[in-house]
Amino acid sequence: MSEISVRLPDGKLLAVPAGTTVLAVAERIGPRLARAALAGRIDGRLVDLRAPLDRDVALEIVTARDPQAGEVIRHSAEHVMADAVKRLFPSAQIDVGRSDHGEKFQYDFLVERPFSPQDLERIEDEMRRILAEGAAFEREVVDRAEAKARFAELGEHLKVSRIDDIPAGDPITIYRHGSFQDLCRGPHVQRAGQIGAVKLIELAGAYWRGDERNPMLQRIYGTAFASAKELDEHLERLEEARRRDHRRVGQDLDLFHLDPLSPGSPFFHPKGVVLFNELVGYVRSLYPKYGFQEIITPQIFRSDLFKISGHYENFGDDMFRFEGDEDEELFLKPMNCPGHCVYYNTTKHSYRDLPLRFAEFTRLHRNERSGTLHGLSRVRSFAQDDAHVFCMPEQVESELRSFFAMLREIYHALGLDDVEVSVSTRPEKFIGNPEAWDHAEKLLIAAVEEAGYACGIKPGEAVFYAPKVECDFRDVMGRVWTLGTVQVDMSAPDRFGLSYVGSDGQEHRAAMLHRAILGSLERFIAIYLEHTGGDFPLWLSPVQVAVLPIAERHTEWGARVRDALAARGLRVRLDDRNEKLNFKIREAETHKIPVMAVVGDQEVTSGTVTPRRRRGGKEAAAALPLDAFVAELSAKVAERRP
RNA sequence: GCCGACGUAGCUCAGCUGGUAGAGCAGCUGAUUCGUAAUCAGCAGGUCACCGGUUCGAAUCCGGUCGUCGGCUCCA
């Protein structure tokens, strides 16, 4: 039998017979490693311990300490959960599990009646029992007919249909622990005991094969770790996410609320409006620099507009529709682009006028399905930092360059530095010709790379009328949100007959770009609140300064401090309540006010204030003349420094 | 829209298997005049989401509606 060579992480080469399993290699290295092994890794890909090696490879043995250990453990926990469900509910049919996203795993079941939260507890207990039994996971390669027959006999009809999804020629493997077996690619732990801690998190309905025309299965989500300590840390992170939830922060800081009388349409409170307006004002302040002109188009349009744009047939059900006089069909606009096209067409354009860049912040309304509404991040009424660029086709590249320059400037100012950019390519259903799509996609990819981003590709993810760039921001909790986007429209120029007169005196088709940098302001605020936890930089803070007199005799000076700050446009509150300084500080801290100005006897006599920064702690701050204090703060605000 | 859970004072929540609603914080009043994260006391505050049913009696049990939350689907 031929030998292969296995390179270990320390550089050592091990010669073993072809067909040696990963586990056997681990045993050659040492029995303790073999016992602790959860999986192997070849070229960054996890492989099962029982998988035979058939070529020269670089191999790492994955143990509980490995960053990828969780993936293996959770994958095996899926099987344990399915096993537990089958033990408690023998008539349940198993569909499939997943554990390749985040720190949770899931499994779907077809059951006569939905699981209850009590069932969840029972299932979790049963899982612990299975872990305690510590059965070994075994791997088996079977042929297709055998696999189908086996699951058919078990009454697992969903599973049989899943076998049909496996491409012909691919090996079919089954993993078994105890009396439970499941179709699975692996890899899996050696024995159930290696799953140190499990917790079932939640129940949900999920359509079979993700199609809403199919029956709904019951999905259980859980998480699993090598140790109880890691599980606790994970639960602590979930708790932290709950603390930062924008709905909670929005409530605590009195920024907005959602009222049952208008589901999905937020009320912004005065402080929320400050945040909203500061964001809009900032973007607006950059419009001259990047050559945008702001316009305001109608909120309501006749249906004809959306018939021209194509939204009528594609999104008609998701628009707010009503009737005007004489059965006139009207819609609340769900986006600005058609209106911008109408405006573009009000005059004949020369190539000398292009590019024309129209921006608009007015409100948009979409009748989102009730189940999809979520705080500020999914609403029915919102505004975007929306704009459309009308240009000659050969100007698209430089427009994309300008888009990324503006995007960088804004994200940097807001402290959104962890951004990944990708291009979504042509979906199955699309309009326009494929060559034009290919060309546009190439332009986008080149522009992303030129802007200095590694360009990811999201195959088939584009909108039906336009390839698009998506800018995904990773927040402090590690969650990814799509913010900015730019799209090359393959449809509107023709549908609206967007044209310009070229230097040759002939009419030419114009190119059109859609772009937004923050996207929906509502959604952006949600994301930003969770990212910052409500700790805004000075310039965005609804209340920038709290003036805190120590006793009543200091309020007069406090009022003059307040007035001096307010006169320079700073948002300031004088806390003249009859409370102790500690109380006022605590409240300013919990309200996330970035700067406090303490005034007592010393300050009154010397005409100063003693500043205290948010979370400044006990460090002794020096008193500052009022003028200097005001000048420092207004300079920071003007420069949008924290 | 679909599956499940939930809806009690402005906020956060308690109220065991049915017997006329309770706390903390916030608010109001008073006392205290205080130097870097909660001073003390008193007062007031609820058609228990809404509609209907069961019952001598419903916050509690049942049905419906609305909303919220977690998912699914969708996201121009």
Side-chain angles (χ1 to χ4, degrees):
Chain A
M1 184 175 272
S2 60
E3 290 217 321
I4 56 170
S5 109
V6 176
R7 178 186 296 275
L8 302 175
D10 61 4
K12 228 181 269 168
L13 287 175
L14 216 58
V16 298
T20 302
T21 64
V22 175
L23 185 60
V25 173
E27 272 157 2
R28 282 269 303 268
I29 302 169
R32 282 183 59 192
L33 179 68
R35 247 197 330 277
L38 296 171
R41 182 166 45 228
I42 296 171
D43 304 330
R45 279 191 46 215
L46 288 173
V47 294
D48 194 83
L49 288 168
R50 304 139 191 97
L53 298 169
D54 55 6
R55 59 187 171 90
D56 292 355
V57 291
L59 175 72
E60 295 168 80
I61 302 298
V62 173
T63 67
R65 277 202 297 273
D66 191 280
Q68 278 192 294
E71 291 178 37
V72 183
I73 286 170
R74 284 185 279 277
H75 191 182
S76 299
E78 273 175 41
H79 287 223
V80 172
M81 179 165 80
D83 182 11
V85 168
K86 288 295 287 187
R87 288 191 190 190
L88 296 169
F89 306 91
S91 66
Q93 278 191 52
I94 57 175
D95 185 31
V96 289
R98 252 190 91 178
S99 52
D100 56 350
H101 52 319
E103 283 164 317
K104 47 186 191 176
F105 65 84
Q106 66 189 51
Y107 211 110
D108 293 355
F109 304 92
L110 179 62
V111 283
E112 289 118 41
R113 96 179 148 76
F115 294 124
S116 68
Q118 292 72 32
D119 294 334
L120 210 59
E121 285 174 31
R122 288 176 59 209
I123 295 166
E124 195 176 299
D125 290 342
E126 190 64 34
M127 288 176 73
R128 298 220 172 83
R129 217 161 290 141
I130 295 167
L131 298 189
E133 289 167 11
F137 275 74
E138 292 159 39
R139 177 176 188 264
E140 190 183 353
V141 180
V142 296
D143 75 48
R144 185 171 296 254
E146 153 73 11
K148 286 176 76 164
R150 203 186 288 186
F151 286 109
E153 192 183 333
L154 291 166
E156 300 291 3
H157 306 296
L158 300 182
K159 192 60 80 179
V160 172
S161 109
R162 290 287 180 180
I163 296 175
D164 292 330
D165 294 349
I166 301 175
D170 281 18
I172 292 180
T173 53
I174 287 180
Y175 280 80
R176 176 196 292 279
H177 69 269
S179 59
F180 180 82
Q181 55 181 322
D182 196 359
L183 176 73
C184 186
R185 261 187 235 103
H188 280 286
V189 298
Q190 298 186 60
R191 47 189 186 278
Q194 287 177 312
I195 304 167
V198 294
K199 176 143 188 78
L200 298 187
I201 305 284
E202 63 207 4
L203 280 167
Y207 297 111
W208 186 50
R209 291 176 180 276
D211 188 327
E212 65 181 326
R213 290 165 303 191
N214 284 340
M216 186 157 268
L217 307 180
Q218 289 294 303
R219 174 172 297 172
I220 303 178
Y221 287 95
T223 187
F225 290 89
S227 68
K229 181 167 168 279
E230 288 169 78
L231 174 62
D232 288 345
E233 285 165 3
H234 173 69
L235 295 177
E236 176 52 38
R237 282 192 295 277
L238 292 183
E239 184 52 39
E240 173 64 16
R242 268 191 286 279
R243 273 193 291 272
R244 303 178 83 103
D245 188 304
H246 75 275
R247 293 163 300 193
R248 168 184 283 268
V249 175
Q251 164 92 264
D252 290 348
L253 300 187
D254 194 17
L255 301 175
F256 66 88
H257 88 276
L258 284 141
D259 198 282
L261 290 172
S262 186
S265 297
F267 280 62
F268 277 92
H269 299 5
K271 287 176 184 167
V273 171
V274 170
L275 181 60
F276 190 101
N277 284 343
E278 285 292 343
L279 287 168
V280 169
Y282 171 52
V283 173
R284 180 176 274 147
S285 76
L286 294 175
Y287 279 161
K289 175 173 171 185
Y290 290 95
F292 288 85
Q293 297 170 279
E294 202 173 327
I295 61 175
I296 297 175
T297 64
Q299 290 298 122
I300 296 168
F301 283 99
R302 291 179 157 185
S303 59
D304 308 54
L305 179 72
F306 302 110
K307 286 176 180 161
I308 296 171
S309 72
H311 291 102
Y312 190 89
E313 47 171 317
N314 284 293
F315 297 102
D317 293 342
D318 305 318
M319 297 194 279
F320 285 107
R321 178 189 172 282
F322 56 101
E323 275 170 26
D325 290 345
E326 291 166 29
D327 298 335
E328 182 186 37
E329 186 180 31
L330 300 171
F331 286 107
L332 229 37
K333 71 173 168 188
M335 82 287 291
N336 290 313
C337 23
H340 289 192
C341 292
V342 169
Y343 172 57
Y344 179 85
N345 276 344
T346 52
T347 34
K348 210 169 173 78
H349 295 287
S350 153
Y351 72 98
R352 295 172 191 275
D353 302 332
L354 302 183
L356 282 168
R357 308 180 188 90
F358 304 140
E360 178 156 1
F361 291 105
T362 59
R363 300 208 69 76
L364 304 173
H365 294 268
R366 297 179 183 178
N367 194 4
E368 304 285 2
R369 300 210 270 176
S370 61
T372 65
L373 301 176
H374 178 96
L376 284 188
S377 44
R378 191 72 180 271
V379 289
R380 289 183 173 146
S381 167
F382 60 101
Q384 292 181 303
D385 64 326
D386 198 11
H388 297 93
V389 178
F390 299 85
C391 63
M392 295 188 281
E394 54 269 38
Q395 291 172 320
V396 168
E397 277 183 86
S398 62
E399 287 307 304
L400 292 174
R401 209 169 296 137
S402 168
F403 166 78
F404 283 111
M406 185 172 179
L407 180 117
R408 259 184 199 293
E409 180 167 354
I410 292 176
Y411 286 3
H412 181 70
L414 291 168
L416 314 176
D417 294 314
D418 193 351
V419 173
E420 282 170 23
V421 183
S422 62
V423 168
S424 299
T425 59
R426 189 169 74 231
E428 277 177 36
K429 212 182 115 191
F430 69 99
I431 48 180
N433 74 73
E435 294 77 45
W437 274 81
D438 290 345
H439 176 67
E441 286 169 10
K442 279 206 196 82
L443 281 184
L444 290 176
I445 293 167
V448 171
E449 285 168 353
E450 194 194 317
Y453 295 102
C455 186
I457 301 290
K458 295 182 184 172
E461 291 282 302
V463 205
F464 65 93
Y465 61 77
K468 65 174 173 181
V469 170
E470 287 192 341
C471 303
D472 293 326
F473 161 65
R474 187 182 300 275
D475 72 13
V476 284
M477 306 289 295
R479 296 166 305 186
V480 173
W481 311 89
T482 297
L483 296 178
T485 175
V486 56
Q487 308 170 3
V488 184
D489 198 308
M490 315 298 280
S491 161
D494 288 333
R495 281 177 170 263
F496 282 94
L498 305 174
S499 64
Y500 63 92
V501 178
S503 56
D504 56 2
Q506 302 292 307
E507 290 236 327
H508 298 274
R509 186 58 79 225
M512 176 182 177
L513 302 179
H514 305 243
R515 52 105 280 179
I517 288 177
L518 301 180
S520 150
L521 265 304
E522 278 71 7
R523 185 163 171 281
F524 179 79
I525 288 171
I527 294 163
Y528 192 68
L529 283 177
E530 304 202 352
H531 180 58
T532 60
D535 285 330
F536 307 128
L538 186 67
W539 67 277
L540 278 174
S541 291
V543 178
Q544 295 166 315
V545 190
V547 179
L548 312 179
I550 288 171
E552 257 167 26
R553 64 178 178 281
H554 310 126
T555 47
E556 196 187 326
W557 176 237
R560 285 176 58 191
V561 171
R562 175 197 59 199
D563 294 345
L565 290 160
R568 292 291 294 273
L570 288 151
R571 297 181 288 269
V572 53
R573 295 281 181 281
L574 172 65
D575 189 347
D576 57 0
R577 291 174 303 174
N578 179 7
E579 297 289 352
K580 299 173 80 162
L581 181 61
N582 276 337
F583 180 91
K584 295 179 182 180
I585 288 174
R586 179 182 156 78
E587 196 159 271
E589 290 281 358
T590 56
H591 287 102
K592 312 273 189 190
I593 298 172
V595 180
M596 286 159 257
V598 176
V599 294
D601 289 335
Q602 293 166 33
E603 289 78 9
V604 171
T605 19
S606 58
T608 59
V609 302
T610 299
R612 183 191 206 274
R613 311 287 156 180
R614 176 171 47 196
R615 289 194 307 272
K618 292 211 177 219
E619 66 191 72
L624 218 58
L626 178 57
D627 291 351
F629 182 62
V630 175
E632 181 199 321
L633 291 184
S634 38
K636 273 190 176 168
V637 170
E639 292 159 36
R640 297 197 168 83
R641 278 187 284 138

